[in-house]
Amino acid sequence: MAYHTLQASLDVPNMPGFIQHVYATVEVIMSGAGWVWIQVIDGRHHGSHSAPFASEDLAKDDALTALGGDCWL
């Protein structure tokens, strides 16, 4: 079990030119069919696991895209 933190940058609607950074925690685990990810909020899984991927990196790439992240911290 590995927890990873991703960062997303959002424009602040009422303050043009300002960017807000938000963070999400994602757990990436090896299941019987491959690597899957799931978002973690307050220590609990949120939503359902992703489809299985052949590698941990592919699962992390999918999480970054699905959650609208910019980068991993």
Side-chain angles (χ1 to χ4, degrees), residues 6 37 50 59-69:
L6 67 84
W37 67 270
S50 68
K60 286 176 64 178
D61 287 345
D62 183 65
L64 198 65
T65 301
L67 297 176

Side-chain angles (χ1 to χ4, degrees), residues 36-59:
V36 297
W37 67 270
I38 188 166
Q39 188 174 3
V40 177
I41 299 175
D42 293 330
R44 296 177 183 234
H45 290 156
H46 180 73
S48 56
H49 287 91
S50 68
F53 294 90
S55 71
E56 182 178 17
D57 288 336
L58 291 174

Side-chain angles (χ1 to χ4, degrees), residues 2-61:
Y3 282 32
H4 303 280
T5 302
L6 67 84
Q7 174 183 301
S9 301
L10 307 172
D11 291 327
V12 179
N14 58 345
M15 298 178 74
F18 284 83
I19 296 174
Q20 175 183 5
H21 297 287
V22 294
Y23 304 91
T25 302
V26 173
E27 181 179 17
V28 180
I29 56 175
M30 176 65 149
S31 72
W35 292 91
V36 297
W37 67 270
I38 188 166
Q39 188 174 3
V40 177
I41 299 175
D42 293 330
R44 296 177 183 234
H45 290 156
H46 180 73
S48 56
H49 287 91
S50 68
F53 294 90
S55 71
E56 182 178 17
D57 288 336
L58 291 174
K60 286 176 64 178
D61 287 345

